[in-house]
Amino acid sequence: MSRLHLESHRASRAGWLRAAVLGANDGIISTASLVLGMASAASGRNAVLLAGVAGWIAGAMSMAAGEYVSVSSQSDTEHADLARERRELTEDPESEAKELAQIYVARGLTKELARQVAEQLMAHDALSAHARDELGISELTAARPVQAALTSAATFSVGAAAPLLLVLAAPESWLVPVVATGSMLCLALLGVAGARTGGAKAAKPALRVVLWGALAMALTAGIGLLIGKAV
């Protein structure tokens, strides 16, 4: 007796996973870079910590606003396309059926089968069929501005907490190497976690995140060092 083959796909996680990884990555890198820049400029622990907290709050709010605005723009475009498609289906359903059939022909179906598939799908839910196969809009990929904003702000805060805790824990004379090393370790763990959550191999994402983070922190620390000497 045959058993139902159940598959577990990760595509449904794409929207919030992208926002989560972006938020946490930015939280670690921007806060660590700010902390290292201040510390390299010979600022004391209190000044470094104050700058880090300010960067954390500003960054979290910026991430939330940026995600909401950008994903809302995507959502507006999707709704406009759907409204246009709904109108075209009302005004000229025959042409829309032919258009859908041509899409299936391009994917490898015969003209006769493509026409049958198009007619049956349109009879069931014409707008959903065109949204999915003509516009590339589905429930899995639909824009969710509030989800993206909240996810990015929350994960930014979690990411920013790591370098701030390192500032509190490290001896003041060792602040720069401890924050830099600890932040890169956090970035590596983030790369692994993001890859595993998305079902991908972990080595390449972890290396990618660490390299870009190290570059950002090194540049900011170098600028802070130069400014500290000049001032």
Side-chain angles (χ1 to χ4, degrees):
M1 184 175 181
S2 63
R3 298 175 62 185
L4 182 64
H5 176 57
L6 299 177
E7 294 183 345
S8 178
H9 295 291
R10 314 288 176 93
S12 60
R13 304 177 182 179
W16 66 261
L17 181 60
R18 180 200 62 81
V21 172
L22 176 63
N25 180 73
D26 198 19
I28 296 171
I29 292 177
S30 61
T31 307
S33 297
L34 180 58
V35 163
L36 291 173
M38 290 290 293
S40 298
S43 301
R45 185 196 302 273
N46 290 339
V48 171
L49 190 59
L50 179 60
V53 171
W56 159 41
I57 296 172
M61 295 302 99
S62 177
M63 286 295 296
E67 282 285 352
Y68 184 81
V69 170
S70 62
V71 179
S72 290
S73 297
Q74 178 187 343
S75 180
D76 292 342
T77 302
E78 290 176 356
H79 282 94
D81 283 343
L82 289 173
R84 177 181 177 183
E85 198 64 33
R86 188 180 291 108
R87 185 175 63 253
E88 291 175 349
L89 285 167
T90 301
E91 295 173 352
D92 193 359
E94 181 60 26
S95 295
E96 290 299 303
K98 291 180 180 179
E99 185 178 24
L100 195 60
Q102 289 172 357
I103 293 174
Y104 298 142
V105 169
R107 293 180 181 177
L109 298 184
T110 63
K111 291 183 178 180
E112 294 76 12
L113 182 56
R115 179 68 184 188
Q116 292 176 17
V117 172
E119 289 176 349
Q120 290 185 30
L121 288 176
M122 288 184 66
H124 175 68
D125 190 339
L127 184 60
S128 293
H130 281 268
R132 181 180 59 252
D133 295 324
E134 182 182 348
L135 303 178
I137 301 173
S138 69
E139 183 64 25
L140 292 178
T141 61
R144 295 177 175 83
V146 174
Q147 181 192 69
L150 293 177
T151 301
S152 289
T155 53
F156 182 97
S157 297
V158 173
L164 293 178
L165 291 174
L166 290 170
V167 171
L168 291 172
E172 192 163 330
S173 58
W174 285 82
L175 198 150
V176 171
V178 168
V179 172
T181 303
S183 296
M184 284 191 287
L185 178 60
C186 290
L187 287 171
L189 293 174
L190 173 64
V192 172
R196 292 293 174 83
T197 304
K201 294 183 179 179
K204 187 175 180 180
L207 180 61
R208 181 171 58 224
V209 171
V210 170
L211 287 178
W212 281 104
L215 177 61
M217 287 186 280
L219 288 174
T220 310
I223 293 172
L225 184 62
L226 291 175
I227 293 176
K229 288 183 177 179
V231 175

